[in-house]
């Protein structure tokens, strides 16, 4: 594997993380893809031989999350980190299980915080981290009680990590997307069934954005790649939401 420009990407197996991994590879960089379901990553590996590593980790398991960095560093130095793994359980208050509460915080907040904490000291000097947060951290909906809180906490952690990384010129930023057309956004909500119902919801969600549509994963990946190489930006949040927070 190429030893320069090697980027660790959680959630690289789907949606935004996959778009980030694809864009990094197209730029000539190498990717350590973290996830559980690697079907799509195998395609990338075939297209970019020798530049894709696959690292299996179940991030709801704190033990697995703790070893991600150690395992990735065994095969070479890291020059960047993108935290895209995440999920939302849309549930109404009063009906949220203990397991759902804990899993969303483990995957969306604790795992990225643990990985980020370790990488502050272990990324190559001058590297960068980008964390996927969400506009739902600022403007929740009735079913996003836990998810919104996980992302708001992560936004705070990004600022602490940015301070901690600054002496080694490690920059740390967040990208907060609006609704993006990925498997996560298309996952059935409570009471939904059938592709047509979901397609109608996506169209309705699009209309909530000032620009009149939901985003594409590649449009968010562009913002992530910008922040990975922005030399004088740290501790910031780039909102990429088609004007959702304006509308
Ligand atoms: N789509 C949106 O509208 C939207 C909006 C704002 C923010 N975001 C954020 O953007 C990020 C990417 O979301 P997406 O829309 O691209 O979702 P997605 O297509 O569903 O992809 C989610 C990724 O997270 C990984 N993941 C989920 N649970 C995991 C676990 N327990 N252990 C390890 N990996 C896990 C999945 O990997 P495996 O399946 O291989 O485990 C997958 O690669 C997330 O942090 C999400 O919160 C999304």
């Amino acid at each position: 594997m190429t030893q320069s420009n090697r980027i660790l990407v959680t959630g690289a197996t789907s949606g935004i993380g996959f778009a980030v991994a694809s864009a990094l590879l197209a730029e000539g960089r190498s990717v350590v893809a973290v996830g559980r379901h690697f079907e799509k990553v195998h395609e990338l590996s075939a297209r970019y031989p020798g530049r894709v590593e696959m690292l299996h980790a179940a991030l709801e398991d704190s033990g697995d999350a703790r070893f991600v960095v150690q395992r990735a560093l065994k095969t070479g130095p890291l020059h960047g980190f993108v935290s895209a793994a995440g999920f939302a359980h849309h549930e109404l208050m009063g009906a949220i299980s203990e397991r759902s509460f804990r899993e969303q915080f483990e995957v969306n907040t604790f795992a990225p915080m643990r990985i980020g904490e370790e990488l502050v000291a272990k990324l190559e000097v001058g590297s960068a981290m980008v964390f996927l947060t969400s506009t739902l951290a600022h403007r929740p909906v009735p079913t996003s009680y836990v998810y919104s809180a996980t992302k708001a906490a992560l936004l705070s952690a990004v600022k602490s990590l940015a301070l901690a990384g600054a002496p080694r010129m490690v920059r740390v930023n967040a990208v907060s997307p609006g609704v993006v057309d990925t498997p996560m956004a298309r996952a059935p909500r409570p009471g939904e069934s059938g592709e047509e119902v979901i397609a109608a919801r996506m169209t309705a969600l699009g209309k909530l954005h000032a620009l009149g549509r939901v985003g594409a994963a590649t449009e968010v990946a562009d913002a992530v790649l910008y922040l990975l190489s922005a030399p004088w930006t740290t501790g910031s949040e780039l909102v990429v939401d088609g004007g959702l927070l304006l509308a």
Side-chain angles (χ1 to χ4, degrees):
M1 167 166 249
T2 314
Q3 292 300 305
S4 64
N5 282 321
R6 188 168 171 262
I7 316 293
L8 181 71
V9 184
T10 66
T13 57
S14 176
I16 295 167
F18 180 79
V20 167
S22 305
L24 289 168
L25 290 162
E27 275 194 347
R29 307 205 209 191
S30 300
V31 167
V32 182
V34 181
R36 298 167 301 176
H37 307 98
F38 289 99
E39 297 81 0
K40 280 161 67 81
V41 179
H42 282 295
E43 291 166 26
L44 284 182
S45 180
R47 203 177 326 149
Y48 300 103
R51 287 204 274 134
V52 181
E53 288 173 75
M54 292 171 231
L55 200 162
H56 187 284
L59 295 178
E60 76 281 8
D61 176 341
S62 60
D64 253 20
R66 276 183 202 289
F67 285 109
V68 165
V69 173
Q70 196 178 313
R71 288 167 63 201
L73 287 174
K74 269 189 189 155
T75 43
L78 288 168
H79 305 87
F81 171 49
V82 177
S83 170
F87 76 104
H89 269 165
H90 280 273
E91 295 157 312
L92 287 166
M93 276 195 204
I96 303 171
S97 69
E98 185 63 22
R99 183 175 172 189
S100 170
F101 233 107
R102 289 187 182 281
E103 277 190 8
Q104 287 181 84
F105 268 98
E106 284 293 349
V107 176
N108 297 351
T109 314
F110 300 156
M113 284 179 71
R114 286 184 178 111
I115 293 170
E117 181 186 8
E118 208 170 337
L119 286 176
V120 157
K122 293 182 180 165
L123 276 184
E124 294 297 295
V125 169
S127 302
M129 306 188 214
V130 180
F131 292 76
L132 268 299
T133 47
S134 172
T135 52
L136 284 172
H138 303 290
R139 188 192 285 180
V141 295
T143 56
S144 73
Y145 177 47
V146 179
Y147 178 78
S148 288
T150 67
K151 294 296 189 178
L154 189 57
L155 271 171
S156 170
V158 162
K159 292 180 187 166
S160 297
L161 289 168
L163 273 180
R168 298 182 65 247
M169 298 298 147
V170 171
R171 294 164 292 101
V172 186
N173 293 290
V175 169
S176 288
V179 180
V180 184
D181 194 349
T182 68
M184 176 175 137
R186 285 183 176 269
R189 301 272 174 92
E192 271 187 352
S193 69
E195 277 301 312
E196 282 157 27
V197 174
I198 292 169
R201 167 167 54 82
M202 294 298 286
T203 305
L205 285 173
K207 291 183 181 146
L208 299 177
H209 299 66
L211 295 180
R213 63 171 177 85
V214 302
T218 50
E219 292 169 322
V220 179
D222 288 346
V224 171
L225 263 67
Y226 163 71
L227 285 174
L228 279 178
S229 43
W232 204 53
T233 306
T234 198
S236 77
E237 176 190 13
L238 179 50
V239 174
V240 183
D241 72 343
L244 177 64
L245 291 181
L246 294 174

